[in-house]
Amino acid sequence: MCIIREYYCKKLGDIMFKVFIDGREGTTGLRIVERLSGREGIELMLIPEELRKDPEERRKYLNSCDVAFLCLPDAAAVEAVSMIENPDVRVIDTSTAHRTDSDWVYGFPELFDSIAEKLPTAKRVAVPGCHASGFVAIIAPLVEAGIISKDALVSCFSLTGYSGGGKKMIAEYENDKTDELYSARIYALGQQHKHLKEMAAVTGLENKPIFSPIVDDFYSGMLVTVPFFGSQVKGGIEAVKDTYLKKYSGKTFVDVSDINAENQGAMLGSNNLSGNDKMQIFVTGNEERFTVSARFDNLGKGSSGAAVECMNIMLGFNETEGLDV
């Protein structure tokens, strides 16, 4: 059915796919709207502002679209899925609610062949979390290749722009800034961050990592870093580089072109990919101690960009359509 619809969409320029964004007023929803507005082959179904929280109106929109993006808190996302009775509706959820649910496809097709194979026909897709996207991109290939063991004890720190905190945090930084907000701040100090379950489950780790997320005074961008002792890793730093080159070379949205670049004395910026939808992987250090970093936009490959990438694959569009890579 999708192949036929794609054919007419491309040959005749007809609008073929109806897309509804439940929660389009939030940061992720707004960015998806930006990416899809005016696109050939896409009709955005915009619920009237005064009815966007009306359950019956939402139910009507959720059941009359081809693709429903859920840009909602976890409980609301679960509720939205329960409203969908039309078996043809395909759901892309950006919340935490379904990321470790085996009935849902994890929305990172570059990570495993099994994801890439399932995604084109998937009915339920869970988009990775922003911090988690970088962590799984770093750790999953190493566990899969046996470079690190499943029972490895891993730590991770992640520097992100304040847009990841949603409307409230954006307002704090842009409208009501205090002296404290000019400095980088570690949060989730109780080691109970909501991404931890996903970070372990998707990578195959038996132990959740020690995770220190840090928010800083820039709008968007992210740098997720995992440190290693060379003795922790089979084959050392060169085996790690080779693993990423085998996994990600030729992948549009994950760039490993600088993985062998000279890094001594250099610096890695955290918001260099702000506004972009790809991810870069860097391996820096020496045989004794080294770090692996994933740099991307928390609103790009870390959320809305990844969601649109998944939609493109699901509907038969070019994977980069409407995205900046």
Side-chain angles (χ1 to χ4, degrees), residues 20-96:
F20 174 54
I21 303 169
D22 197 3
R24 75 174 192 268
E25 306 77 15
T27 308
T28 299
L30 288 171
R31 290 292 288 267
I32 293 175
V33 170
E34 290 175 6
R35 286 162 165 81
L36 298 185
S37 294
R39 266 189 55 173
E40 184 176 331
I42 298 293
E43 177 187 352
L44 280 178
M45 301 174 64
L46 302 177
I47 191 170
E49 177 65 24
E50 67 273 14
L51 296 175
R52 65 184 179 85
K53 293 186 178 181
D54 183 293
E56 290 310 309
E57 194 70 13
R58 286 176 60 217
R59 187 187 303 273
K60 182 176 72 174
Y61 276 76
L62 285 165
N63 282 282
S64 57
C65 63
D66 292 299
V67 175
F69 286 96
L70 307 182
C71 303
L72 303 163
D74 288 6
V78 171
E79 178 190 49
V81 174
S82 72
M83 293 180 176
I84 299 174
E85 300 171 346
N86 182 349
D88 293 326
V89 174
R90 307 175 79 177
V91 180
I92 301 175
D93 183 12
T94 68
S95 81
T96 309

Side-chain angles (χ1 to χ4, degrees), residues 305-318:
V308 173
E309 176 193 350
C310 289
M311 186 210 74
N312 285 340
I313 295 170
M314 293 163 70
L315 298 183
F317 291 104
N318 185 297

Side-chain angles (χ1 to χ4, degrees), residues 189-261:
L189 298 176
Q191 289 299 315
Q192 297 294 326
H193 194 283
K194 66 179 182 178
H195 287 176
L196 285 171
K197 180 181 178 182
E198 172 188 359
M199 292 162 80
V202 175
T203 59
L205 288 176
E206 295 174 356
N207 304 295
K208 295 175 182 177
I210 296 175
F211 177 45
S212 298
I214 305 162
V215 62
D216 204 353
D217 185 18
F218 56 89
Y219 182 76
S220 68
M222 179 168 279
L223 187 71
V224 179
T225 300
V226 178
F228 293 98
F229 286 105
S231 58
Q232 291 178 290
V233 179
K234 294 180 181 178
I237 189 172
E238 293 305 319
V240 169
K241 291 178 182 179
D242 288 344
T243 298
Y244 295 132
L245 288 169
K246 289 176 182 177
K247 170 63 71 173
Y248 297 125
S249 288
K251 303 294 186 184
T252 303
F253 290 95
V254 183
D255 181 5
V256 291
S257 61
D258 286 334
I259 206 159
N260 286 306

Side-chain angles (χ1 to χ4, degrees), residues 236-314:
I237 189 172
E238 293 305 319
V240 169
K241 291 178 182 179
D242 288 344
T243 298
Y244 295 132
L245 288 169
K246 289 176 182 177
K247 170 63 71 173
Y248 297 125
S249 288
K251 303 294 186 184
T252 303
F253 290 95
V254 183
D255 181 5
V256 291
S257 61
D258 286 334
I259 206 159
N260 286 306
E262 177 62 38
N263 61 73
Q264 302 305 316
M267 295 185 182
L268 279 179
S270 53
N271 65 343
N272 300 58
L273 288 182
S274 179
N276 196 283
D277 293 302
K278 71 179 178 182
M279 175 185 290
Q280 296 171 312
I281 302 289
F282 301 93
V283 181
T284 57
N286 54 63
E287 285 291 347
E288 291 184 2
R289 300 176 306 281
F290 61 91
T291 60
V292 183
S293 298
R295 179 165 66 190
F296 53 105
D297 186 347
N298 57 293
L299 298 179
K301 187 60 173 166
S303 61
S304 54
V308 173
E309 176 193 350
C310 289
M311 186 210 74
N312 285 340
I313 295 170
M314 293 163 70

Side-chain angles (χ1 to χ4, degrees), residues 165-194:
K167 285 186 173 182
K168 182 179 179 181
M169 183 171 284
I170 292 171
E172 289 176 349
Y173 273 89
E174 296 186 350
N175 302 321
D176 306 312
K177 185 175 290 188
T178 63
D179 288 343
E180 180 187 10
L181 298 181
Y182 287 99
S183 65
R185 297 182 294 161
I186 300 175
Y187 62 101
L189 298 176
Q191 289 299 315
Q192 297 294 326
H193 194 283
K194 66 179 182 178

